[in-house]
């Protein structure tokens, strides 16, 4: 797996800038200057420990800059792209390396011009005679957090527009370019191979963090991916029913036991572009009969969704399809009983899959754009957790991650409620309680006439068992 070279990456960002400029013109804003402020280094509380810097995603999309403390501008009339860099204290060279002048930054990031931040007011005034600045300010409907607009000394000399840029920019990020897709394919290949390495290494008696460290070592050593896209979820046994296990208070530290299912949600990041992959497998390397039922239900749901994906398909319908497939398999195996349509009307699917089917993916694990203006969440169990209810469009990259979990905090009320309790074959279902859960998550791009699965992990049960027994798996061919 050969990583994309710097020249190709910078061409991608140049294309991204052109795309945003065209989108702004289409929205009625063909003049003025787009100004973004990049990320800043963060110290750990009151210490001088600097956390490893990662660029702000919108800024990364336009400029690909790795350094903190930058500003970036695009003159919408001329298309000129300029970076503004901080003047560094001479001590920087002693402790952190060479101090690069604007000429070096201009060449490295292949922009039209580069200046110091303290020159920014004068340069920006020379771009646009009306002194209009479009700043990034708006709500991320996924995280419920608001983008922070650029701020600098002298901003009061400009006419600031906080309303126009954000919705236009978000839509640019929703639809990926060819070069972006190539980068996402790369990070998916690296992450898929790392998941296979973890499957091969997993053994009863290990700690969950052994699985996490195997993954992180592989993606860095073999793929140059220094960052993980998110905190690794390495859950086994009952822990796999905790949807966001792996946080500081539940730090992937359980010992793998005979009979456990493992649910590993881990993705690498390269050049700020993310993967998000979940694999589930028995730690012994062989599925039990009950594990085959649950895993098979999730796999059938995932395959059904991917087979239906194409432009124009409503994502909310795909969520319902996944729920129905899981309920149908559990009923066929004797764990549930009754009419499947009644189960759906009673929202029984949300008892087993309380999260949404998937989310947009790109520079963030949960990429923005799920709920553009005018689109509201559906307030019903399961559906309210969907991170988007948009119709699919060509160029969207979205995760397909159905799951089936046995979460006591949800099961107990469901078993006590007559409306849902009637669907349980209580005696048989008791075998599944305390076993955790299964999730399978692939990263999928919508194409003109269908979709392409970027993730190349073993999914069929026979393939999982063969790989865990030492069999080969070709990432480039998905076998």
């Amino acid at each position: 797996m050969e990583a994309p070279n710097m020249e190709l990456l910078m061409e991608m960002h140049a294309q991204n800038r052109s795309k945003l400029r065209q989108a702004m013109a289409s929205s009625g804003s063909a003049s003025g200057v787009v100004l973004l402020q990049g990320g800043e280094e963060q110290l750990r509380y009151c210490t001088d420990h600097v956390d490893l810097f990662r660029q702000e995603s919108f800024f990364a999309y336009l400029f690909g800059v790795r350094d903190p403390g930058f500003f970036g501008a695009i003159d919408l009339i001329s298309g000129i792209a300029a970076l503004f860099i901080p003047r560094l204290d001479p001590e920087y060279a002693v402790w952190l390396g060479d101090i690069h002048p604007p000429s070096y930054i201009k060449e490295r990031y292949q922009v039209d011009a580069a200046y110091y931040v303290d020159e920014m007011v004068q340069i920006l005034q020379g771009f646009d005679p009306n002194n209009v600045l479009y700043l990034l300010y708006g709500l991320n409907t996924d995280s419920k957090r608001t983008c922070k607009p650029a701020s600098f000394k002298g901003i009061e000399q400009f006419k600031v527009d906080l309303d126009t840029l954000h919705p236009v920019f978000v839509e640019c990020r929703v639809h990926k370019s060819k070069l972006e897709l190539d980068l996402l394919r790369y990070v998916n290949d690296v992450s898929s191979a790392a998941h296979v390495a973890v499957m091969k290494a997993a053994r009863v008696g290990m700690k969950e963090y052994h699985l996490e460290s195997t993954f992180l070592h592989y993606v860095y050593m073999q793929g140059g991916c220094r960052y993980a896209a998110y905190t690794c979820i390495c859950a086994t046994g009952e822990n796999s029913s905790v949807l966001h296990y792996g946080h500081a208070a539940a730090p992937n530290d359980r010992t793998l036991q005979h009979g456990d299912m493992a649910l590993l949600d881990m993705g690498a990041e390269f050049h700020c572009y993310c993967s998000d992959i979940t694999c589930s497998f028995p730690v012994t390397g062989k599925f039990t009969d009950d594990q085959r039922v649950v895993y098979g239900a999730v796999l059938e749901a995932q395959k059904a969704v991917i087979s239906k994906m194409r432009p124009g398909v409503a994502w909310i319908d795909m969520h319902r399809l996944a729920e129905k497939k899981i309920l149908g398999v559990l009923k066929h195996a004797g764990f549930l009983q009754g009419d499947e349509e009644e189960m759906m009307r009673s929202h029984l699917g949300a008892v087993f899959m309380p999260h949404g089917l998937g989310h947009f993916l790109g520079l963030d694990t949960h990429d923005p754009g799920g709920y553009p203006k005018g689109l509201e969440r559906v307030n019903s169990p399961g559906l309210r957790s969907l991170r988007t209810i948009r119709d699919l469009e060509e160029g969207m990259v979205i995760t397909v991650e159905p799951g089936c979990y046995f979460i006591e905090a949800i099961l107990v009320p469901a078993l006590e409620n007559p409306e849902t309790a009637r669907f349980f074959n209580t005696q048989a279902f008791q075998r599944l309680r305390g076993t955790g859960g299964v999730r399978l998550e692939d990263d999928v791009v919508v194409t003109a006439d269908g979709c392409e699965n970027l993730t190349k992990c073993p999914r069929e049960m026979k393939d999982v068992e063969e790989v865990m027994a030492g069999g080969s798996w070709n990432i480039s061919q998905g076998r």
Side-chain angles (χ1 to χ4, degrees), residues 41-299:
E41 282 187 327
Q42 300 296 318
L43 295 175
R44 183 178 293 176
Y45 305 116
C46 65
T47 75
D48 62 355
H49 174 91
V50 181
D51 290 329
L52 182 62
F53 174 74
R54 195 272 196 187
Q55 188 58 266
E56 193 278 327
S57 294
F58 285 98
F59 196 84
Y61 178 88
L62 290 183
F63 299 105
V65 170
R66 299 178 183 178
D67 314 61
F70 278 44
F71 288 77
I74 304 171
D75 179 9
L76 293 177
I77 294 178
S78 68
I80 290 174
L83 287 170
F84 299 91
I85 69 176
R87 290 188 189 270
L88 300 174
D89 188 284
E91 282 289 300
Y92 184 99
V94 177
W95 297 99
L96 296 170
D98 293 340
I99 298 176
H100 298 301
S103 58
Y104 173 91
I105 296 299
K106 175 179 178 292
E107 181 178 355
R108 174 179 174 81
Y109 293 115
Q110 295 179 23
V111 291
D112 300 295
Y115 310 94
Y116 288 110
V117 169
D118 54 32
E119 301 172 299
M120 189 161 61
V121 171
Q122 178 183 355
I123 299 299
L124 291 177
Q125 288 174 334
F127 280 161
D128 179 47
N130 296 315
N131 284 351
V132 175
L133 292 182
Y134 294 102
L135 306 185
L136 190 67
Y137 176 78
L139 179 68
N140 183 324
T141 58
D142 193 286
S143 68
K144 306 299 184 186
R145 302 184 69 184
T146 300
C147 291
K148 176 185 175 183
S151 178
F152 58 94
K153 185 178 180 180
I155 194 172
E156 67 279 356
Q157 301 178 45
F158 297 86
K159 302 171 187 175
V160 170
D161 183 318
L162 295 175
D163 301 318
T164 303
L165 180 59
H166 186 266
V168 175
F169 203 159
V170 166
E171 283 302 299
C172 288
R173 285 183 56 181
V174 166
H175 303 89
K176 271 61 177 182
S177 68
K178 179 184 180 300
L179 291 179
E180 285 183 289
L181 290 175
D182 287 343
L183 188 50
L184 288 167
R185 287 187 187 97
Y186 172 75
V187 76
N188 260 270
D189 282 352
V190 172
S191 298
S192 295
H195 272 281
V196 170
V198 173
M199 284 185 185
K200 289 177 178 291
R203 296 289 186 275
V204 171
M206 281 183 164
K207 292 287 189 180
E208 292 166 337
Y209 56 71
H210 291 135
L211 308 181
E212 177 181 19
S213 61
T214 299
F215 179 88
L216 294 175
H217 174 73
Y218 187 98
V219 297
Y220 198 3
M221 186 73 154
Q222 302 298 328
C225 299
R226 189 178 191 185
Y227 300 81
Y230 49 92
T231 302
C232 292
I233 298 170
C234 294
T236 60
E238 195 168 5
N239 290 341
S240 55
S241 68
V242 180
L243 299 183
H244 284 171
Y245 181 77
H247 55 86
N252 296 326
D253 61 356
R254 179 179 179 274
T255 302
L256 280 61
Q257 299 175 14
H258 189 88
D260 282 349
M261 279 291 291
L263 187 160
L264 306 185
D265 189 337
M266 304 181 290
E269 176 182 304
F270 186 84
H271 196 65
C272 293
Y273 280 78
C274 302
S275 62
D276 187 358
I277 298 172
T278 306
C279 294
S280 296
F281 55 83
V283 299
T284 61
K286 290 288 184 181
F287 290 91
T288 66
D289 290 343
D290 286 349
Q291 288 170 348
R292 285 183 178 278
V293 171
V294 179
Y295 185 96
V298 176
L299 180 60

Side-chain angles (χ1 to χ4, degrees), residues 431-442:
R431 299 203 307 268
L432 301 180
R433 297 181 72 172
T435 60
V438 168
R439 179 166 65 252
L440 298 174
E441 181 178 14
D442 289 353

